[in-house]
Every structure is written in structure tokens, then in C-alpha cells.
Amino acid sequence: MSDHTQRASLPPSRKAPRLAAGRARALGLPTRGTTNANRLRRVDRWLVATQVARLRDAARPLVVDLGYGASAVTTLELVDRLAPEIDRLEVVGLEIDPMRVDAVAEHRDPPRVDFRLGGFELAGLRPVVVRAFNVLRQYDEESAARAWDTMRGALAPGGLVVEGTCDEWGRRATWVALDEDGPLTLTLAARVSDLDRPSDLAERLPKALIHHNVPGQPVHAFLTAFDAAWASAAGLSTFGPRQRWAAACETLAADGWPLVGPTRRWRHGEVSVRWSAVAPVPR
């Protein structure tokens, strides 16, 4: 059974999680824990390209890596990628499984990098950025929405949650950026040479969208338009798939899709669109 059809759930949120003695009751269920070196490189590059100013402006530039898995590797990679750009950077990896926290104790070097027990309540921390990857695919859609709300409620002022999914090797990824008020953007990122068409990324859509990729829903319309733009740029394949991807993104923008962020990101096999253009509509 695929991880799309296994459904976990969170209890209904009747009130905010209680914090006691500076600690929060961990909310959530353990993931499978699988990870690989460089699996999250695409989202990390996006963070470096787009979120450094947010962290530099913060009184405490704290980043939470939620659900790092059975290995510390992707958390340590996040530190290595952000630290050269941000003075006083702090990264805290959170896991709901105590054994996983114990297993990475040798990599603790607070305040630069630490590992703690915690879930969607973020262990009572107030981070500026949360990277939460591959942690919501096992939940039903309603529970995933509550997890969004819980994480957003724990952010520092001006903070951002980046929640998404990727394949096991990080070649295909999508993520949603959310601030305290709600979702802002959807980003698609891929090793473009491995794609037959942009809609191949549909299998990696976040939980909030993956079941809405059907005719009549905005995300389906967006992916259909992206496939059409990709097909129309087939002549650029001679110059490489990244050039073709960039040309398809240019066509999307010209057709009125509200793409955001630096256009130079297109040549990295990446594109971001405003959430309002792809958000699910009631059926």
C-alpha cells in the first residue's frame, strides 16, 4: 500500500497545546525515517536564494528542521548551506521518536545545531523558518491542515513554514510556503532531465493538493497549462531541458499565471506560483 493511501490522523484541535516547564507535548506520529544525503538540496537552495534576508533580519535566526528521520544528515546539510549566509544561525532538528534523538546526539553542537524531541507544536520553540519535509504524507487531509495551523501558530513574528514532499533521491520536489496568515506559494522543483512533462511532479504534490489534481480544480488546470507550455517549447530541447523548462515558465507567466520569485530560478528547474492560483475550490 502506498504512503498516499495509508491514513494517519491528529486529534481534533480544541485548544492550543499546553506547554509545561518550557516543553511542549509532542504532536504527531513518527515517519518511516528514510533519508539520503542531498535529498533536500532543492528546498535548501530555495531557502538560501529566497529566505536569507528573513533570517538576517531576525533577532534570533532560528530554523527548525521538523522530522529529520533516522539520520542527522539532512539537518547538518541545512546548517552547512545556511551558516555561511547568516550570522548566529541556530538550527534545531526535531523528531517525535526519542530513539532518533538519542541516535544523533554526537552531532549536537548548540547553539549552532541541536536535536530535540518534538512534533508539530515545534517543542515550544519560536522559529523564523520551519522546514517540514515528508512529514504529512501519512496523514489525512484534515489532519494535515491542523498540522499547518499548529506550526504556523508557533512561528516567530514574520516567520515561515516550508512544508513539502520529495522523492527518495531529491530529484522531484514540491513545497508550500506559509506564514502566520496562511499559504503563500506552491513551488515545483525537479531534475528536469528526468521529466517527460511537468505534471510528472503531481505525485509529489503536498497533502493539501495531491487529492485535488482532478479536472475542475485549479492545481490540475495549472499542471495542464504547464504541460502545454512545455510541449510548445519542444524546439528548445536541443539546448537542454533547463532551457525548455525556463521557456515553459515564461509562457505560463505570459498567459497570466501569477509566478513569483526570481526568474533566474527557472533555469534551476524550479518555479513558484501564488497559492491563490492553485488552492483547492469546494466541490
Side-chain angles (χ1 to χ4, degrees), residues 73 177 191 222 250 264:
V73 62
R191 180 176 175 178
F222 176 69
E250 188 172 354
R264 64 179 178 275

Side-chain angles (χ1 to χ4, degrees), residues 181-243:
D181 295 322
L184 300 171
T185 59
L186 168 71
T187 298
L188 311 181
R191 180 176 175 178
V192 183
S193 59
D194 287 350
L195 298 179
D196 288 329
R197 58 186 65 84
S199 63
D200 289 349
L201 285 162
E203 65 183 12
R204 291 295 156 186
L205 286 171
K207 177 60 68 174
L209 291 175
I210 194 165
H211 302 299
H212 296 277
N213 183 30
V214 294
Q217 287 288 334
V219 69
H220 184 269
F222 176 69
L223 291 173
T224 299
F226 205 168
D227 282 352
W230 174 260
S232 70
L236 292 175
S237 298
T238 301
F239 302 102
R242 289 188 180 187
Q243 285 76 6

Side-chain angles (χ1 to χ4, degrees), residues 81-282:
R81 287 163 181 154
L82 287 176
E85 307 293 334
I86 302 157
D87 293 336
R88 302 176 292 108
L89 175 72
E90 299 178 45
V91 176
V92 177
L94 294 182
E95 257 296 341
I96 203 165
D97 183 343
M99 294 182 64
R100 293 178 185 173
V101 179
D102 292 342
V104 299
E106 66 182 288
H107 300 293
R108 295 181 67 239
D109 183 22
R112 184 174 184 265
V113 60
D114 201 358
F115 298 89
R116 303 182 191 176
L117 185 68
F120 297 122
E121 82 301 328
L122 306 184
L125 298 170
R126 299 285 282 175
V128 179
V129 172
V130 177
R131 185 185 71 177
F133 251 66
N134 304 306
V135 296
L136 287 179
R137 291 177 71 82
Q138 64 182 321
Y139 290 90
D140 60 65
E141 192 172 338
E142 182 180 352
S143 294
R146 288 201 296 272
W148 271 10
D149 291 343
T150 300
M151 289 187 287
R152 291 191 299 107
L155 288 171
L160 194 76
V161 174
V162 183
E163 187 273 311
T165 68
C166 66
D167 66 8
E168 291 189 355
W169 301 106
R171 294 172 180 173
R172 300 180 181 187
T174 75
W175 58 87
V176 178
L178 314 96
D179 67 7
E180 60 185 2
D181 295 322
L184 300 171
T185 59
L186 168 71
T187 298
L188 311 181
R191 180 176 175 178
V192 183
S193 59
D194 287 350
L195 298 179
D196 288 329
R197 58 186 65 84
S199 63
D200 289 349
L201 285 162
E203 65 183 12
R204 291 295 156 186
L205 286 171
K207 177 60 68 174
L209 291 175
I210 194 165
H211 302 299
H212 296 277
N213 183 30
V214 294
Q217 287 288 334
V219 69
H220 184 269
F222 176 69
L223 291 173
T224 299
F226 205 168
D227 282 352
W230 174 260
S232 70
L236 292 175
S237 298
T238 301
F239 302 102
R242 289 188 180 187
Q243 285 76 6
R244 185 180 180 184
W245 175 276
C249 292
E250 188 172 354
T251 297
L252 286 175
D255 288 344
W257 288 97
L259 306 187
V260 296
T263 58
R264 64 179 178 275
R265 302 300 304 166
W266 298 348
R267 294 190 177 275
H268 294 278
E270 180 185 297
V271 66
S272 298
V273 61
R274 292 195 188 282
W275 177 258
S276 57
V278 295
V281 297

